[in-house]
Amino acid sequence: MAPLQKRALYALLIGLVLAIALLVVFISQGDVTIFDKDQGFRLIVYGLWIGVPVIYLILINLTLRKPTQIDERDRLIIEKAPKTQLLAVLLSLAAWIIVLTEVYWDRGQMPLIFLTLIFISTLIVSTLAQSLGILIGYWRANRYG
Amino acid sequence: MANARINNRIRRLRFDHDEMTQEELASRVGCTRQTIIALEQGKYVPSIELAFKIAKAFGVTLEEVFQYEE
């Protein structure tokens, strides 16, 4: 495994664990509006969602700064990763729109907290998809050249 | 565009140079060992710069390492 590939895998796995922990925290509360009311809950959520990009920055961006860890082939793979990122972000936004429309259609309004949640989820999906895009790039390069 | 292929003799040249390891060649030309593996398997075509560095590492011309086939 190339150094960048290894780090992308670690970033994806740790990011997934944090993202799942975030989901579990929300599901365990049963109501998203608790985000507005409980400061302790907000701090847990902030810690978890900031953790995903921080892990990515530590594992991937620091690798990019070391010339011995990365070469021209790795750079070509990184350049293609945003395709996966864009697709994942668009799909997650589409999922939000469909779910929120179906759930809140009859009420004609929805809690404002969802704007924050959409932003948080987009940032997480975007970061995870960047790592996934790098892994897909290596898989394709090893398989098809 | 017609199907073209760039072959290389990197594996052969490594063995001719005291069985130079992939790691050693990678360190000499400034790339990762995975890129040397991909090159030897014909799954990656290097940039001109890397191609020249590889030829220089073996002390041969570019054409002695890489061959263009149409």
Side-chain angles (χ1 to χ4, degrees):
Chain A
M1 251 189 193
L4 180 69
Q5 186 180 12
K6 214 180 286 178
R7 283 166 181 261
L9 182 62
Y10 294 153
L12 181 65
L13 292 178
I14 298 170
L16 275 177
V17 168
L18 291 177
I20 290 167
L22 195 59
L23 275 178
V24 168
V25 165
F26 269 102
I27 290 168
S28 67
Q29 296 300 320
D31 179 14
V32 290
T33 55
I34 193 158
F35 188 86
D36 290 330
K37 299 164 193 164
D38 186 345
Q39 194 189 18
F41 179 76
R42 268 203 303 277
L43 289 176
I44 292 171
V45 171
Y46 288 149
L48 287 172
W49 81 263
I50 290 170
V52 178
V54 166
I55 293 292
Y56 179 84
L57 284 174
I58 291 171
L59 287 174
I60 307 287
N61 275 28
L62 291 183
T63 307
L64 300 182
R65 290 180 192 170
K66 296 177 189 167
T68 53
Q69 297 277 300
I70 187 167
D71 63 17
E72 59 178 45
R73 181 168 168 262
D74 301 312
R75 287 185 207 287
L76 282 175
I77 287 169
I78 291 172
E79 282 170 17
K80 289 179 184 169
K83 284 182 187 172
T84 310
Q85 206 175 5
L86 178 65
L87 185 68
V89 167
L90 289 177
L91 286 176
S92 78
L93 289 176
W96 270 115
I97 289 168
I98 292 167
V99 170
L100 290 178
T101 304
E102 291 306 315
V103 172
Y104 290 98
W105 184 263
D106 293 337
R107 288 181 229 179
Q109 57 184 7
M110 63 175 197
L112 269 177
I113 176 61
F114 278 113
L115 294 177
T116 308
L117 295 183
I118 290 170
F119 172 72
I120 289 174
S121 73
T122 303
L123 190 77
I124 290 174
V125 165
S126 168
T127 313
L128 293 180
Q130 174 81 6
S131 299
L132 183 66
I134 291 171
L135 292 174
I136 291 172
Y138 278 106
W139 177 77
R140 286 180 64 89
N142 290 334
R143 193 175 171 90
Y144 305 111
Chain B
M1 195 175 140
N3 284 337
R5 188 178 162 78
I6 295 177
N7 296 318
N8 68 71
R9 297 176 56 239
I10 295 175
R11 188 183 290 252
R12 178 76 257 163
L13 286 163
R14 274 198 306 111
F15 282 105
D16 291 347
H17 284 75
D18 297 330
E19 298 190 8
M20 185 193 291
T21 63
Q22 291 171 331
E23 191 71 56
E24 199 181 336
L25 177 60
S27 133
R28 280 194 194 189
V29 299
C31 70
T32 62
R33 191 172 76 89
Q34 284 69 28
T35 296
I36 299 296
I37 293 169
L39 283 167
E40 289 187 355
Q41 290 175 346
K43 288 183 174 172
Y44 178 63
V45 177
S47 66
I48 293 285
E49 187 186 358
L50 182 58
F52 271 109
K53 281 181 180 174
I54 291 169
K56 197 177 172 187
F58 291 126
V60 296
T61 61
L62 200 61
E63 291 78 9
E64 286 176 83
V65 187
F66 297 96
Q67 297 82 42
Y68 179 74
E69 278 181 17
E70 267 190 278

